[in-house]
Amino acid sequence: MEAKEQVLEAMKKDGTPLNAGKIVELTGLDRKVVDKAMAQLKKEETIVSPKRCFWIAK
């Protein structure tokens, strides 16, 4: 599974807005990998930010 898919899956499973640090805890991925995956998901508009620094899957 690609890092981007793991990040999205963790967001959907949790169901609450998450920051990158919490996603690192949930997935076990490196912080840089999570940041890169989140950047791709933001670009694709797959995730949205309900409040500053927190993201949730659409």
Side-chain angles (χ1 to χ4, degrees):
M1 184 183 288
E2 213 176 298
K4 184 171 74 170
E5 294 165 350
Q6 286 181 295
V7 168
L8 190 58
E9 183 65 32
M11 291 177 126
K12 287 180 179 179
K13 191 174 183 181
D14 192 71
T16 60
L18 301 171
N19 61 11
K22 184 67 174 172
I23 294 169
V24 168
E25 288 178 27
L26 293 173
T27 61
L29 296 171
D30 185 63
R31 175 65 186 248
K32 288 182 181 182
V33 174
V34 169
D35 288 341
K36 187 175 179 181
M38 287 179 70
Q40 290 174 331
L41 291 168
K42 290 176 210 173
K43 192 180 242 185
E44 296 169 4
E45 298 180 2
T46 309
I47 60 175
V48 293
S49 179
K51 61 182 177 179
R52 188 169 187 230
C53 297
F54 284 82
W55 297 86
I56 192 164
K58 274 189 173 179

